[in-house]
Amino acid sequence: MTSTVPALGTRTAEGSALQAVLLDMDGTLVDTEGFWWDAEVSVFAALGHTLDEAWREVVVGGPMTRSAGFLIEATGADVTLPELTVLLNDGFEERISRTLPLMPGAARLLAELAAHDIPTALVSASHRRIIDRVLASLGPQYFALTVAGDEVERTKPHPDPYLLAAAGLGADPARCAVIEDTATGVAAAEAAGCHVVAVPSVTPIAPAHRRTVVSSLEHVDLPFLHGLMLR
């Protein structure tokens, strides 16, 4: 869907310039939501507990403290939150060291944003150690800045990560397009006042005001993102 588009700052209506694109990581750019669940299942199995598949919808897209805390409470596992955080990050990192599949359309979209000099940030609830590992394969050159979940006092679903990213790029949140795959991330982006493109990975997400739902990043290109600013 790559096509010729106006340069950054070109306006098709008063105040309609797309100033920046802010992207989630897991489940949005890289197909890793399943890796997190697999790591959670494996870690808890080693602790003598079986996870209920229904819990996957509870923990998807959440910050580590919320997801791990929920699983400790749900299972009664004898493990502290700091201990479990290390175990889960280790398990996830081991999995992405073997393979790191990109979501369909992700590589093309990142290249298109870079080619048109659109300021872009990676905004994830994952910890810095995980983001840096993924960036090595995804391409750090595509992002002007990155925000990790363990670098903000309040991560998703709070707006703080997206407000921080917009400020770091010198952009008005209302002129930013956010691409997310979970309800938690969508809530954070909307609370920050951004336009949202939801590409659901594990659980459905309904369309809403300033929220557009698509089935794949293959449906997202620069004309599409510019058009969001007119809504």
Side-chain angles (χ1 to χ4, degrees), residues 2-229:
T2 301
S3 59
T4 301
V5 299
L8 179 66
T10 298
R11 297 174 182 269
T12 54
E14 184 62 29
S16 66
L18 173 68
Q19 292 183 348
V21 177
L22 317 177
L23 300 110
D24 174 54
M25 187 177 76
D26 294 300
T28 299
L29 291 176
V30 289
D31 191 7
T32 51
E33 290 291 11
F35 288 8
W36 279 115
W37 180 246
D38 290 346
E40 288 158 351
V41 168
S42 177
V43 166
F44 276 90
L47 294 171
H49 298 274
T50 301
L51 299 188
D52 189 321
E53 182 69 24
W55 296 343
R56 182 175 182 180
E57 294 188 9
V58 178
V59 300
V60 66
M64 179 71 74
T65 51
R66 189 196 75 184
S67 300
F70 169 82
L71 293 174
I72 290 173
E73 183 176 354
T75 61
D78 184 19
V79 63
T80 67
L81 185 58
E83 290 170 341
L84 182 56
T85 296
V86 172
L87 291 172
L88 292 177
N89 277 328
D90 285 348
F92 180 80
E93 196 166 352
E94 191 277 328
R95 284 164 173 77
I96 64 173
S97 69
R98 286 182 263 145
T99 180
L100 185 62
L102 298 186
M103 298 299 289
R108 186 268 312 154
L109 178 59
L110 290 176
E112 186 176 5
L113 294 172
H116 289 80
D117 296 322
I118 302 296
T120 305
L122 187 68
V123 183
S124 177
S126 290
H127 289 186
R128 171 55 58 187
R129 61 176 281 196
I130 299 300
I131 287 180
D132 287 346
R133 281 295 300 270
V134 173
L135 276 175
S137 297
L138 193 58
Q141 71 274 14
Y142 290 121
F143 305 98
L145 63 84
T146 61
V147 178
D150 57 341
E151 295 174 341
V152 290
E153 184 174 347
R154 301 188 309 170
T155 188
K156 305 174 187 180
H158 299 287
D160 306 37
Y162 282 113
L163 292 174
L164 180 62
L169 295 177
D172 177 357
R175 300 269 66 85
C176 293
V178 169
I179 305 179
E180 273 280 359
D181 73 304
T182 67
T184 298
V186 166
E190 291 180 341
C194 304
H195 293 265
V196 178
V197 180
V199 192
S201 59
V202 176
T203 59
I205 298 173
H209 178 60
R210 292 169 65 91
R211 181 198 307 167
T212 303
V213 180
V214 298
S215 60
S216 168
L217 287 180
E218 293 181 315
H219 301 298
V220 180
D221 61 7
L222 269 177
F224 176 94
L225 295 173
H226 277 287
L228 296 179
M229 302 298 109

